[in-house]
Amino acid sequence: MRIAMISMHTSPLQQPGSGDAGGMNVYVLSTACELARRGVQVDVFTRATRPSQGHVVEVEPGLRVINVVAGPYEGLSKEELPTQLAAFAGGILQFVRCEQLHYDLIHSHYWLSGQVGWLLRDLWQAPLVHTAHTLAAVKNTHRTSNDTPESDARRICEQQLVDNADILVVNTPEETNDLVRHYDAEPEKVAVIAPGADVELFTPGKQRNTELARRNLGIPLHTKVVAFVGRLQEFKGPQVLLKAVAELFRRDPDRDMRVLLCGGPSGAQATVEHYTELARSLGICHRVRFLDPRPAEELVAIFQAADVVAVPSYNESFGLVAIEAQACGTPVIAARVGGLPIAVDDGTTGVLVEDHEPGHWADAIASLLDDDQRRIAMGVAAREHAMQFTWARAAEELEQVYGQALALSVDSCVQRKPEGA
């Protein structure tokens, strides 16, 4: 089986944590790697953003990333990429023609890629599997007052994909409900496949590892640590955590606690300075450390160094950070939104907070930091919970969905075949 994966607006090889790179990058790369290890030939098409990337990158046997030139390398925001859909599709067609390739199936990620996948589906007569990752209607429902609403154009394009894709892959049953409620999707066209984590990389650290991680981060060994890992934008809620921490110090000025925020800005108006200034205005700047985005191999140390990890997002289709943290044996405090109630077992592997009120988040953080026995027990359970979510299992289920899509395509062709032909 040869699969064309399309991830136009962000490369799976890009460092997650800033700009447009995040959980989707991890998802695409991780599932593609596992599919390749299962014998599926995978080509991932993405838009080239610098000439030094090379046209074709051999990631591992059976997996290539093809950087397609479509528009200028730099200076295009995600909102401007629709102007390059034709150029991007043309670049894919040129590559396929030159290489004399045939793809059995197309798997598009995000609505921009879906529009290209929809075109290629009809040109190649290959089934289209689509994963939205986020939906305009859902983001607009949960956005903060400072967030720019998603456009009607995106909403219309997503509706077209729901109507025309052969199978829609989602992370949770909640996403199925979102597709049905907001886009009138047919439930039988939706396949639920939970993402995973690299549970061999993300593992609990022995005491020596934890001490080393803290020493390298410049954190005292006996200080309680709360970590946030993700893009610095209102939608991800770093401001909620900072205000909650300020409330904790208001209640107890002598509390021995540090906060780590690991990630880069995302969005036209987002800057690290905005959040450092917020910490300064709250009087907690000396308690907070901002860390640049880093590869998964280095994130492990942050998860191991933390006593708890906070995920105060306003919505998450699943919440990969929550699973990765729990795989390291670290409990998670998360908002009860989107897929996070599945990623976090409330009361067993962490705590779910009903809203984004800083006082309620302060209560939740204190409930774990001040109860060592409960927090340690949650850490043990967290690892066991995370072991249910692996990329190998996700890839196995994806391959089954691909088989279903191919079977549906064959049936459709048979039904369209003229009588007597």
Side-chain angles (χ1 to χ4, degrees), residues 278-321:
L278 175 60
R280 187 176 297 108
S281 68
L282 292 169
I284 58 171
C285 60
H286 60 298
R287 306 281 189 171
V288 179
R289 286 199 60 196
F290 289 86
L291 306 173
D292 291 333
R294 54 200 61 203
E297 293 77 9
E298 297 179 28
L299 277 182
V300 175
I302 293 177
F303 290 136
Q304 291 176 348
D307 292 285
V308 297
V309 169
V311 186
S313 304
Y314 281 80
N315 195 61
E316 289 283 353
S317 61
F318 186 66
L320 293 181
V321 166

Side-chain angles (χ1 to χ4, degrees), residues 208-270:
R208 185 175 62 181
N209 299 82
T210 301
E211 291 177 356
L212 179 62
R214 289 197 170 199
R215 191 174 297 114
N216 290 339
L217 291 167
I219 299 171
L221 296 181
H222 301 294
T223 295
K224 296 293 173 62
V225 177
V226 180
F228 169 96
V229 175
R231 288 173 286 174
L232 298 179
Q233 61 177 195
E234 292 281 312
F235 197 73
K236 294 293 183 180
Q239 72 281 359
V240 176
L241 175 59
L242 291 174
K243 292 175 182 177
V245 170
E247 172 62 19
L248 285 173
F249 282 115
R250 187 193 66 78
R251 297 175 186 178
D252 180 7
D254 296 325
R255 177 179 284 274
D256 189 8
M257 181 177 70
R258 297 290 187 278
V259 180
L260 300 176
L261 282 88
C262 178
S266 177
Q269 299 178 346

Side-chain angles (χ1 to χ4, degrees), residues 95-269:
F95 177 82
V96 171
R97 184 170 57 251
C98 292
E99 296 286 321
Q100 297 184 324
L101 295 172
H102 168 78
Y103 291 103
D104 299 293
L105 180 140
I106 302 159
H107 188 170
S108 57
H109 296 271
Y110 197 64
W111 71 274
L112 291 166
S113 303
Q115 289 291 303
V116 176
W118 181 22
L119 169 68
L120 297 178
R121 190 271 301 271
D122 291 336
L123 290 174
W124 293 345
Q125 294 295 297
L128 172 64
V129 174
H130 178 67
T131 303
H133 293 279
T134 63
L135 294 164
V138 175
K139 291 197 75 172
N140 284 340
T141 299
H142 296 283
R143 71 183 179 91
T144 68
S145 59
N146 296 326
D147 280 334
T148 303
E150 297 296 325
S151 68
D152 289 339
R154 173 180 172 179
R155 174 73 170 74
I156 292 168
C157 289
E158 289 175 342
Q159 185 66 62
Q160 292 169 335
L161 291 169
V162 169
D163 293 340
N164 289 281
D166 294 279
I167 295 180
L168 301 165
V169 173
V170 299
N171 295 328
T172 65
E174 176 66 21
E175 279 191 274
T176 302
N177 296 336
D178 289 335
L179 284 171
V180 172
R181 179 167 58 249
H182 295 293
Y183 296 85
D184 199 27
E186 301 172 15
E188 58 271 20
K189 281 181 56 174
V190 183
V192 180
I193 300 177
D198 186 342
V199 294
E200 295 182 2
L201 173 63
F202 292 100
T203 58
K206 298 178 181 178
Q207 184 174 355
R208 185 175 62 181
N209 299 82
T210 301
E211 291 177 356
L212 179 62
R214 289 197 170 199
R215 191 174 297 114
N216 290 339
L217 291 167
I219 299 171
L221 296 181
H222 301 294
T223 295
K224 296 293 173 62
V225 177
V226 180
F228 169 96
V229 175
R231 288 173 286 174
L232 298 179
Q233 61 177 195
E234 292 281 312
F235 197 73
K236 294 293 183 180
Q239 72 281 359
V240 176
L241 175 59
L242 291 174
K243 292 175 182 177
V245 170
E247 172 62 19
L248 285 173
F249 282 115
R250 187 193 66 78
R251 297 175 186 178
D252 180 7
D254 296 325
R255 177 179 284 274
D256 189 8
M257 181 177 70
R258 297 290 187 278
V259 180
L260 300 176
L261 282 88
C262 178
S266 177
Q269 299 178 346

